[in-house]
Amino acid sequence: MLEVHLGEVDISPKELDKRAAAREFPYDSGVWLFKELIHESMPSKCIVSRREGNTKLYSHKRVSEFAGIRELYLKHEGENPTGSFKDRGMTVGVSEAVRLKAKIVCCASTGNTSASLASYAALAGLKAVVFIPSGEIAYGKLAQSIAYGAKVVQIKGNFDDSMRLIQEAAAHLNMYILNSVNPWRIEGQKAITFELMQQMGWDGPDWIALPAGNLGNTSAMGKAFSELKELGFIEKIPRIAAIQSEGANPFYLMWKAGASELVRVKHPDTIASAIKIGNPVSWKKALKAMKISNGVVEQVSDNQILDAKAIIDASGIGCEPASAASLAGVKKLREKGVIKAGQKVVCILTGNILKDPNTTVSYHTNKLDSIKPSYMNPPVEVDGNLDAIMKALKA
Ligand code: F0G
């Protein structure tokens, strides 16, 4: 189960555009729309879909000015049904589990994957087991996984421990694993790239930036682009900028050193809980993606991530902390002169603004250790009378 290879593909961009306009099952999903490029032989009766994908592209003057890029777009994967891009890989992974007649599906997660798995498993009538690092994932994501009915196992350890243990447990207990070690997850995640290219009239940007944790998404993007190029759907492959947090940066360290092996970060630490990962499982495929796209890997601080998030949020678009690493990375690469002001750039916003609300409120009230917020908007507390309210609003 290392990688899926496309066979003959009998579909063209024009036909895909027509199909998008018609919107019939299963092509009303922003993943299954590209079925021939993802899982051609999947029978319709096995497809478990929430019409995922179909996410929008945004641009905003304030975001552009912040990064110093004139033409900058944000693709909002937080608009997926469970609040993150994970739904794209999950619809394919869970459909495959149904096709294989699996009974139990499982994953380890920093939050989003578990919520996504729990939802799709419930839809399909499968049992779901998720391993999460105890006390380290966003509360809303824990709530979502429990509420959708998954068996939630809180591991006393970090995500990397959870990831190692779920692989062992899956083998022992005959559970179908749905982390990105499962190639069908990667196949589904390719749809971000397909949909983006379709939205841009199959003429891509110069750069695409995305937050990098377990590296499944980076891998999927590289694979998607090399297939589109091979099929003749596109002429040039955009450069991928994979952005890590400084405290959880094994891929960055490896790339910067030009090394051929990844050295894990033993104690990953970042406020962006989704990408708090020291031993990413998909680093080999992600390295391939960097080579295919002439990509770069950059790292950003928690402070830079939260300032970028504040700008995305205040522009009315909003995202979770990890997602903002993409914009923080683009700003840094612009300042270094790697990305030019006149180049066309897309940032992938991987998750919803409602994740990690404590972090957001603490940022705006300046209650985070070692973070100096540049764009605070603290709420005010007043006595319950009109005088006090007038005074507060005039100030
Ligand atoms: N952004 C968000 C919001 C994520 O949830 C993740 C990963 C990433 C970025 C990084 O993507 O792992 O493909 O490099 N979340 C996983 C999870 C690990 O369990 O939800 P990646």
Side-chain angles (χ1 to χ4, degrees), residues 85-86 109-113 211-217 274-275 277 320 350:
F85 73 101
K86 302 290 182 180
S109 179
T110 56
N112 284 320
T113 304
N214 218 15
L215 295 172
N217 210 22
I275 52 173
I277 296 172
E320 73 164 272
T350 44

Side-chain angles (χ1 to χ4, degrees), residues 243-354:
I243 315 296
Q244 293 214 290
S245 167
E246 280 175 6
N249 61 353
F251 192 53
Y252 169 78
L253 293 176
M254 175 189 177
W255 184 81
K256 193 167 171 245
S260 52
E261 285 294 319
L262 183 117
V263 178
R264 76 188 168 107
V265 169
K266 273 196 193 135
H267 302 291
D269 187 24
T270 170
I271 202 149
S273 60
I275 52 173
K276 191 171 169 183
I277 296 172
N279 194 19
V281 293
S282 295
W283 68 264
K284 280 187 188 150
K285 290 179 192 170
L287 195 60
K288 221 159 124 190
M290 289 296 114
K291 288 191 180 134
I292 286 163
S293 73
N294 187 23
V296 300
V297 187
E298 187 52 271
Q299 63 172 358
V300 289
S301 68
D302 281 355
N303 214 128
Q304 288 167 329
I305 289 174
L306 291 184
D307 282 340
K309 171 176 155 58
I311 293 292
I312 295 167
D313 292 351
S315 69
I317 298 161
C319 65
E320 73 164 272
S323 307
S326 59
L327 180 65
V330 165
K331 179 177 165 65
K332 188 165 174 184
L333 290 167
R334 169 71 201 98
E335 282 161 3
K336 282 182 166 179
V338 178
I339 301 182
K340 310 280 186 286
Q343 288 186 307
K344 199 198 261 190
V345 180
V346 176
C347 291
I348 307 295
L349 301 183
T350 44
N352 190 284
I353 189 175
L354 291 175

